[in-house]
Amino acid sequence: MARIAVGGFQHETNTFAPIKASFDKFERPDAWPGLCQGERLLSSVDGVHIPITGAVDHFRLSGHDIVPLVWSSATPSAHVQEDAYERIVGMMLADLKAALPVDGVYLDLHGAMVCAHFEDGEGELLRRVRALVGPDIPVSVSLDLHANVTEEMVRYADALDIYRTYPHIDMGETGARAARHLEIFMSTGGRWAKAFRRPDFLVPLNFGCTDIDPAKGLYEKALPRALAGGGTTAAALAMGFPLSDIAAVGPSLVVYGDSQSGVDAVANDFLDALTKEEARFGDRIWQPDEAVAEATRLAAGSSRPVVLADTQDNPGGGGTGDTTGMLRALLAAKTEGAVVGLFNDADSAEKAHRAGVGAQITLQVGGKLNPGDSPVTVEGRVEKLGDGRFVGTGPMWGGANYEMGLCALIDVDGLKVAIASKPEQTGDQSMYRHLGIEPSEMKVIALKSSVHFRADFAPIAEAVLTVAAPGPVYVDTGALDFDHIRPGVRQWPGTD
Ligand SMILES: [Zn+2]
């Protein structure tokens, strides 16, 4: 039986987004638990589909003594403020120091955290953890598929493992894999040789989806090939998070194994396989008006809904959840049988609650958090109210205890406008059911998500159209002004 410290600190930083992550954003629960520490960490994450839960369940089954540190996450946004980072890392290191001696450390990190005071949130955290535990205590880490992996993360962790699905339906499994790596280090006392590689291009967020090629093939064929390489003990592939203006932005891979020459050879082959697919990372992106017209046409001939993914306002990628482009297009087309949202608009939700169910109401919905956007005047009837507390049911958020604040559904001549009080990507059907909407019965669902929604919504959808209404989760990374990207990295795959 070993004594293992476990903790986590997750943030995906869109440096082009308008709002930074302050400490209170990490404190409060959303679809994931709020900041939790000590024994409360274990009860808070229990049954929730996140990496640390997979790791903790694995350690429990193995009979290890688990020492919970701190676990915390915030919805993706712009940089993590210095105060938030230093307070949370300070808690984690103080807990770890108090827990010493430990036999191993497992951390549930994202890998794309950018702080206001430095670029590499996870690399710096791992450097500090390593400095505290010394060179001999193994440290194993699970990362998001959107990690922008750095040399420092690879150096200071003995193993990094990464989700293999986007939508991320394997978070628990990834945590369990990282836990098994730690057990190997603890039982053998050995460490693995490491090889880290990065190609010279970015993968735009929407095209890293592992339900479709080329990402599908890379995870289903190239990764298993690397794992089966002679002497390979572990291998991981990240698509990277392209909306981060940092040197380490972009896809990467890590191969671990018995010998340096062995992992180098496998990593080079793996990098070749990734690089060969560069030009295939792409798909049609629709403008709001044409997307609404196409969705209406497709829905007319089907009993299943057409999903419009308002990807550039995906709160899971740093969107504010309050942009109005899709709402304007749906109102202009007088679209009936459609639901749009969930909007992050606490003010409108509260006004609807004050008015009550059945009341006719005029609201200024959304458009408050991004420069260039403005609220939309919505005149309709309050159809349903909710307290924002419900349990997720889909493949990614099943078991999640949502706390979305006050919620409301406004009916505008058959167009349903769904409003919550926090930004959270619409990735789970429970978010609509909480407001009395059965998604499969709608004609058009205009949700705020880039790819994760596919796990729960694609099975009920006639078609999915990705739409580029204005917002900060830019599909076109080629048009972004990067200042810190590595020289020679192509911002749009297949271009100069
Ligand atoms: Zn991700």
Side-chain angles (χ1 to χ4, degrees):
M1 188 176 92
R3 183 173 159 79
I4 301 168
V6 304
F9 186 17
Q10 284 226 18
H11 190 261
E12 181 180 80
T13 306
N14 176 344
T15 63
F16 300 95
I19 300 170
K20 289 189 166 63
S22 49
F23 182 75
D24 61 302
K25 301 278 169 47
F26 289 92
E27 269 189 308
R28 70 183 192 180
D30 38 48
W32 284 0
L35 187 146
C36 47
Q37 204 169 4
E39 288 305 316
R40 204 168 68 79
L41 185 162
L42 297 178
S43 58
S44 297
V45 305
D46 189 36
V48 182
H49 175 225
I50 50 180
I52 194 170
T53 308
V56 164
D57 288 349
H58 181 86
F59 290 138
R60 277 201 180 117
L61 275 175
S62 301
H64 295 305
D65 181 13
I66 300 165
V67 185
L69 308 173
V70 65
W71 186 93
S72 174
S73 83
T75 303
S77 67
H79 309 72
V80 176
Q81 290 184 347
E82 179 174 353
D83 165 71
Y85 182 86
E86 295 300 339
R87 281 172 77 179
I88 294 165
V89 169
M91 286 179 198
M92 186 178 285
L93 294 175
D95 290 351
L96 181 57
K97 194 171 180 185
L100 295 177
V102 296
D103 300 303
V105 179
Y106 160 77
L107 294 177
D108 169 7
L109 307 178
H110 185 286
M113 180 190 292
V114 184
C115 304
H117 54 320
F118 44 71
E119 285 192 356
D120 181 8
E122 288 88 353
E124 174 60 16
L125 169 58
L126 288 167
R127 188 188 69 75
R128 295 185 197 182
V129 167
R130 180 58 73 195
L132 187 60
V133 301
D136 298 332
I137 301 301
V139 177
S140 183
V141 175
S142 57
L143 296 175
D144 192 285
L145 173 139
H146 297 109
N148 291 320
V149 182
T150 64
E151 304 269 4
E152 287 68 28
M153 292 182 216
V154 177
R155 182 183 315 146
Y156 295 118
D158 295 294
L160 303 173
D161 216 322
I162 296 174
Y163 313 159
R164 296 170 181 174
T165 59
Y166 180 33
H168 304 327
I169 55 172
D170 66 331
M171 289 185 278
E173 287 168 41
T174 307
R177 276 202 309 278
R180 287 199 294 275
H181 302 332
L182 193 70
E183 285 181 329
I184 291 170
F185 299 136
M186 292 188 301
S187 64
T188 64
R191 298 292 185 273
W192 297 332
K194 307 168 180 178
F196 173 52
R197 300 284 187 276
R198 282 188 294 223
D200 293 330
F201 60 88
L202 302 185
V203 174
L205 195 59
N206 301 82
F207 309 141
C209 174
T210 58
D211 293 343
I212 48 178
D213 278 325
K216 185 178 192 317
L218 285 165
Y219 284 91
E220 287 183 355
K221 294 187 189 122
L223 176 61
R225 211 160 44 235
L227 284 161
T232 301
T233 48
L237 169 65
M239 288 292 109
F241 185 63
L243 302 174
S244 259
D245 184 12
I246 57 170
V249 63
S252 60
L253 57 92
V254 196
V255 177
Y256 299 97
D258 298 334
S259 73
Q260 194 59 51
S261 59
V263 292
D264 281 335
V266 170
N268 289 341
D269 283 349
F270 197 0
L271 182 64
D272 272 353
L274 173 58
T275 304
K276 278 197 185 103
E277 300 290 2
E278 176 181 349
R280 295 179 68 210
F281 285 105
D283 197 3
R284 172 153 188 189
I285 302 294
W286 298 72
Q287 292 306 307
D289 291 343
E290 61 177 11
V292 168
E294 177 69 359
T296 305
R297 190 184 71 79
L298 289 171
S302 173
S303 59
R304 294 151 65 85
V306 176
V307 173
L308 302 177
D310 187 1
T311 182
Q312 297 200 129
D313 191 31
N314 167 20
T320 54
D322 92 320
T323 70
T324 57
M326 278 312 314
L327 175 59
R328 289 176 200 278
L330 290 161
L331 284 170
K334 300 192 184 326
T335 313
E336 290 181 29
V339 59
V340 58
L342 276 61
F343 281 90
N344 163 34
D345 189 338
D347 184 50
S348 291
E350 194 196 331
K351 285 195 171 89
H353 274 254
R354 274 209 303 269
V357 171
Q360 285 293 324
I361 191 170
T362 301
L363 296 171
Q364 301 297 316
V365 172
K368 293 156 191 158
L369 299 173
N370 288 274
D373 202 357
S374 58
V376 173
T377 301
V378 167
E379 295 179 9
R381 184 177 61 84
V382 180
E383 183 169 315
K384 180 91 176 169
L385 298 171
D387 63 6
R389 295 188 168 183
F390 53 95
V391 178
T393 52
M396 261 193 76
W397 281 279
N401 297 301
Y402 279 90
E403 296 199 29
M404 298 296 299
L406 294 180
C407 294
L409 188 74
I410 313 299
D411 178 84
V412 186
D413 299 327
L415 170 65
K416 318 282 184 185
V417 182
I419 302 169
S421 296
K422 291 178 186 174
E424 182 65 42
Q425 75 174 298
T426 330
D428 197 283
Q429 293 190 44
S430 63
M431 298 172 83
Y432 289 131
R433 290 199 184 108
H434 177 64
L435 288 170
I437 293 277
E438 179 51 46
S440 63
E441 292 172 3
M442 303 306 294
K443 287 189 168 307
V444 176
I445 300 172
L447 48 73
K448 292 181 180 288
S449 175
S450 294
V451 168
H452 284 325
F453 72 90
R454 287 177 185 267
D456 204 21
F457 287 87
I460 63 162
E462 171 66 21
V464 168
L465 307 181
T466 301
V467 190
V473 189
Y474 300 95
V475 173
D476 185 3
T477 49
L480 289 173
D481 285 330
F482 282 93
D483 291 326
H484 306 291
I485 193 169
R486 301 185 304 288
V489 174
R490 293 176 286 285
Q491 290 179 214
W492 189 258
T495 59
D496 291 329

